[in-house]
Structure formats: C-alpha cells, structure tokens
Amino acid sequence: MRKAILFLIAVVLLLGGCAPWYPTNGEPYIAKAQNVSVNLPAGWMRQNRRDIVLATRDGLPLQTIMVETIHVNDDLKYTKKKFSPGMLPQEQAETIIDNMTSNQKVLGLKVLENKPAKIDGRQGFRALISFKDSDGLAYRSLYYGFMEKEWFYGLRYTAPQRHYFERDREAFDKAVSSVKLLTP
C-alpha cells in the first residue's frame, strides 16, 4: 500500500510537472517567448517556463538568473501597480520594487542602489536589493529592467548574500551585457 501511495505521488508530480532543465554552454540562447537572445553562463542549467527563463548553477535557492517579459496589459503578481508605455526607467524600477516588496515571502526588503543603466542600448535601470526569506536567510538581488514599446524586460540575479551572491555576480553581469532583443 505504501509503495502504491508513493507511486501515485510521483505520477502526480511528474504530470503536474516541471519543465525540463537543459545545460547551458555560454553561447547565445534564443528565448523566443521573451523576445531576447542572452548568453547564459556556461555550466549552468536553464529552464523555460511560460513567461520566464530561469538559470542556475547549484540550484534555485542558491543562485538564480531570471529573464522575464511583462506586457503592459499584464497584472503583476503582488501589486496593483502596472507598467504603461513610455514609463521612465525610474517609474519602471518603482513598479518592480513595489511588486517585490508586496510579496509576503520577501521580508525586510531594502533598496541598496537604484540607478540608470543601459541594456542593449536602451535606457533602463539597475537596482541592488537585499531581503530575507521566511527562514531568515539574507539574499541579495540585482535587477536590470527596461521597456520597449508595450513590453517590460527584466533580468534578475538572486542569491544568498553570503558566499553565492558575489561568487556568481560576474556571470550575471556578462549575461546582462549580452542581451539583445530579437525584434525591436
């Protein structure tokens, strides 16, 4: 009986399933759903989900690179704020930061830095954020974002503040510098 229950649990997990993980090779990866090309770090694993691409080296809790797109008509998960065409980079940053702050799993969020940045030649922002998870583990997150017409493009790196954040930060910086829109 116990084996049957474990088997059913395994089947439910597989059918409800996660998307498969694929190794990265440092070459440009075309994320069609996100309308970008990005060089994810070699030796990492990537996963495509409906509206995001995730990459990790040692597992999602230890470091995550996320590439996302958000249409101006899309609702954000944790805030009522929305993007609108023509928003200034500072307004975009405020919207994303409010969305992160409103997430109940993100505790004590602090914006350590929020400044202009260029991504693929476009005006955007770069925000350095610290927070704790519900277990009290301190994280840092580096978020780059910009808008093109009716789409917001976000690139975020998140890792525990101790050890992992600085260790893999350069890999994220290289990924950000490689981003290219497929169609403007």
Side-chain angles (χ1 to χ4, degrees):
M1 180 69 167
R2 189 176 205 189
K3 286 183 181 181
I5 291 172
L6 290 174
F7 176 75
L8 286 174
I9 290 171
V11 169
V12 168
L13 289 174
L14 286 173
L15 292 177
C18 294
W21 288 91
Y22 300 98
T24 61
N25 59 10
E27 298 292 319
Y29 170 67
I30 306 296
K32 290 181 185 177
Q34 288 71 35
N35 190 43
V36 297
S37 166
V38 60
N39 293 14
L40 296 171
W44 287 42
M45 299 294 286
R46 77 165 163 78
Q47 182 185 70
N48 295 39
R49 295 189 180 174
R50 183 180 203 183
D51 53 352
I52 61 173
V53 173
L54 294 174
T56 185
R57 178 176 156 181
D58 300 312
L60 294 177
L62 299 179
Q63 77 279 95
T64 304
I65 292 175
M66 180 185 72
V67 180
E68 68 179 334
T69 53
I70 303 168
H71 191 270
V72 294
N73 294 333
D74 292 346
D75 291 328
L76 296 174
K77 190 171 183 175
Y78 302 107
T79 184
K80 291 183 180 183
K81 287 188 177 184
K82 293 185 80 139
F83 291 107
S84 61
M87 284 180 99
L88 297 173
Q90 188 62 34
E91 296 170 317
Q92 299 163 31
E94 289 170 9
T95 302
I96 280 296
I97 291 167
D98 188 66
N99 191 52
M100 292 175 74
T101 302
S102 299
N103 181 347
Q104 293 179 350
K105 294 179 183 176
V106 173
L107 306 173
L109 186 138
K110 293 179 186 169
V111 178
L112 306 175
E113 189 176 279
N114 185 1
K115 62 184 187 178
K118 281 200 174 189
I119 305 99
D120 189 24
R122 291 163 173 83
Q123 293 298 322
F125 68 89
R126 175 187 179 276
L128 179 62
I129 298 161
S130 69
F131 64 92
K132 290 185 179 181
D133 67 8
S134 57
D135 293 325
L137 182 60
Y139 281 86
R140 287 252 167 121
S141 193
L142 191 52
Y143 199 113
Y144 285 82
F146 67 96
M147 288 196 77
E148 180 66 26
K149 298 179 183 167
E150 295 184 350
W151 288 92
F152 172 79
Y153 294 84
L155 300 108
R156 183 173 75 190
Y157 167 60
T158 302
Q161 185 172 313
R162 187 174 178 188
H163 181 65
Y164 288 96
F165 184 79
E166 286 303 326
R167 185 189 79 178
D168 296 314
R169 184 176 178 170
E170 184 179 334
F172 175 66
D173 290 338
K174 287 180 182 177
V176 170
S177 67
S178 76
V179 168
K180 302 281 182 242
L181 288 188
L182 300 177
T183 58

